[in-house]
Amino acid sequence: MHRSDIPLTQDLVMIGGGHAHALVLRKWGMNPLPGARLTVINPGPTAPYTGMLPGHIAGHYSRETLEIDLVRLCRFAGARLILSHATQIDREQRLIHVDGRPPVAYDVASFDIGITATMDIPGFATFGVGAKPLDVYARRWRDFLSAVEQGDTAPEVAVIGGGVAGCELSLAMAHALRAKNIQPRVTLLHSGPSLSGLGNLARQRIEAKLRRADIDIYTGVRVTKVAADHVALHDGKKIPSRLTVGAAGAVPHSWLSQTDLPLSDGFIETTPDLSIRDDPSVFAVGDCAAMPFAPRPKAGVFAVRAAPVLFHNLRAALTNGPRKPFKPQKGYLKLISLGEKSALAEKFGLALSGPMLWRWKDRIDRAFMKKLDDLPRPRPAALPDLVATGAREVLGSKPLCGGCGAKIGNTVLNDGLSLLQHPTDDTILSTPGDDAAVLRQPGGGFQVISTDHLRALIHDPAEMARIAAVHALGDIWAMGAQPQAALSSIILPHMSPALQSRTLGEITAAANDVFSRAGATIVGGHTTMGAEMTIGFTVTGTCTSSPISLSGAQAGDVLVLTQPIGSGVLMAAHMEGSARGADVAQVLAEMTQLQDRQAFHLRHAHSMTDVTGFGLAGHIAAICRASHLSAEILADAVPVYAGARALSERGVQSSLFQPNIENAPTLGRQDPLFHDPQTAGGLLAVLPPADAEAALCNMAAEGKKAWIIGRMIDGEGAVTIL
């Protein structure tokens, strides 16, 4: 039996994208556990690597260099990634509560959520920023540096906390400002009598370096208030500061105190196998964990060393196997950035510094990131030596895409449907090619009905349900109708009854949220199990006047598009592991957005459709054929998702790309993205120029985007890209 045929029976949920979890994801992708479903919950698509943060602040590394791409890692590991905050754990019901969506069930859970540096000082929450979470601080720093460069604020910085982190960040920020030919004023504030976290020799060298960098050091002080332009001390002194950074020790996430997890000073208390006391199904690792069996300072090295043990013990928890203890080393090497490309190394009380040590640190940091970035590409399953003629050609060199990329080409579709006869019942008014069938209502008005389903693009059932619901609603909106009712059609992969219940619950809750906000009701459906997850909906809608068809466009009308294109390329690249996680996250978020307001403002369109599987060119061509016109499209006016252009130029294509070109060849400038199949794509409306401008203004007033991308002209079906 192939491992993919083994039913899913256990849910492993990893909360947080810290260093240990990132390494576990890589190991999981190399050696997954059949029957286990993996979920990762993290607020963003990337997680910053702490070791390179001072170098990024100093200007030595780009933002992308220090970001761990969790989207790519999760895809490699076969895990779903939920981009949100965990807010609570219910250990009795085995649920993780998540901001903005229903709870996520677990059989085994693991925490690696790091720490914060939020300080309980008046004004800090408003005017200060903690050094952790790192991504929040890095973003504030970039904004501050830009404002200083533009002359909008003074280069005054205060750092609260004289440990290793405070020293590194003070030196990094001072160096970055000087590199811009700006004379900074950086002040380091520490409550203790001397800098902490260092041996005597290392502390002396760091203090000397701080003074040579003209950084003011205040020890034995207490900060009483943080304001927009200063920090107030207990003795009444005011330190000028336009950016105040908190780096005074590790602060646990406050929501942990509202749970029943065993805590030590707010950190999750663990046992030698990294699980929590009295609950072997919950684990914690990294800075959010306390290890009373082997107390250690908060340092990334321990999370990295714990990863192999965590990986083993998570699998053991899922299989009732034996566990290993974690034995952290007592001494460890500290490599401390010194602003410019120089570093200090300390171990066993000895300390050395210089550029050579920076190069050593740089190699270590880059090697860590390379391990998480250079992921093996998925290999297609090997074919038997002997297959029927044509099978290899149909399979091609890449896997079948999900979403609309898995559709049958339009030419084949038309051939397959050619035997259907046009309805003779005068209550059925459908026009070939329109988005939905049209039924005349006995009491007046019209009803439209359409059906659509999607092969899963991603591993998250709830997010996939949202995408499928929005996608199905697109046909109703494109006809100018008000959504009315929906029937679901769901295929689940083989899984245990418990996981069936969990999965159907997530799908139903997500889809119901979309349809209810669109004004429709889910009235029933059908479910079955199969080889992979597929979600679809049959949707009805009503309208009092004639529905909008493809055939009403007029010469001189302009074309309006409500979403960028390029989702097919991005999802194809995501499948092969070559897309940037942030770009994938953006396009997935766009796919789940309702377009009811856009449809409302475009309700007087002469013609309208939604851009889906046949690509932008294919849907424009459909309007041209039905309306007996041609179209001119301004290529530079067509919005494109971030990352899609570069991927397209590299030759990345969806599996429906070639059939789309054959269905709708274009004249003039050739752009592969015009043939890229879209999933839950934008509305494409044809209106008189004045009406289009008014619609764009009305949408903009509601925070909705839309673009005029071309015009209709006389002719017979040609699509020309200018």
Side-chain angles (χ1 to χ4, degrees), residues 61-185:
Y61 299 123
S62 68
R63 180 181 62 183
E64 291 76 15
T65 305
L66 81 156
E67 288 183 338
I68 299 170
D69 194 328
L70 293 177
V71 176
R72 288 187 64 236
L73 265 176
C74 287
R75 185 76 192 192
F76 175 70
R80 66 164 165 172
L81 175 59
I82 296 174
L83 296 177
S84 186
H85 293 269
T87 59
Q88 181 60 269
I89 179 173
D90 181 342
R91 289 198 285 150
E92 182 176 346
Q93 298 295 321
R94 293 200 172 190
L95 296 173
I96 305 296
H97 291 262
V98 183
D99 186 31
R101 61 179 290 157
V104 176
Y106 72 89
D107 295 292
V108 175
S110 179
F111 286 84
D112 188 10
I113 59 175
I115 55 178
T116 72
T118 300
M119 312 189 76
D120 188 18
I121 299 172
F124 185 86
T126 302
F127 301 110
V129 60
K132 291 188 177 183
L134 305 182
D135 52 344
V136 176
Y137 161 58
R139 186 166 56 249
R140 282 282 296 274
W141 164 250
R142 290 191 294 267
D143 292 342
F144 172 77
L145 186 60
S146 175
V148 171
E149 285 187 273
Q150 296 171 15
D152 295 333
T153 193
E156 299 167 343
V157 178
V159 178
I160 305 172
V164 172
C167 294
E168 281 190 304
L169 297 179
S170 296
L171 289 165
M173 289 186 285
H175 174 79
L177 288 164
R178 286 198 175 88
K180 303 285 186 183
N181 294 318
I182 297 168
Q183 182 58 40
R185 181 172 183 179

Side-chain angles (χ1 to χ4, degrees), residues 494-576:
H494 195 191
M495 56 180 62
S496 67
L499 266 67
Q500 289 177 32
S501 178
R502 294 173 184 176
T503 306
L504 281 175
E506 289 193 34
I507 290 173
T508 302
N512 185 62
D513 176 63
V514 172
F515 282 113
S516 62
R517 287 191 291 121
T521 303
I522 299 178
V523 294
H526 179 75
T527 60
T528 186
M529 282 193 291
E532 59 186 4
M533 184 169 67
T534 302
I535 302 176
F537 299 95
T538 298
V539 189
T540 66
T542 59
C543 45
T544 55
S545 57
S546 295
I548 303 171
S549 72
L550 297 178
S551 59
Q554 300 177 17
D557 285 349
V558 297
L559 292 106
V560 174
L561 180 65
T562 64
Q563 269 187 16
I565 62 173
S567 65
V569 164
L570 280 161
M571 298 316 298
H574 180 48
M575 287 184 66
E576 66 180 31

Side-chain angles (χ1 to χ4, degrees), residues 559-564 590 637-639 696 699 705-710:
L559 292 106
V560 174
L561 180 65
T562 64
Q563 269 187 16
E590 194 75 27
V638 177
L696 261 63
M699 283 187 271
K705 292 183 178 180
W707 298 263
I708 294 176
I709 63 169

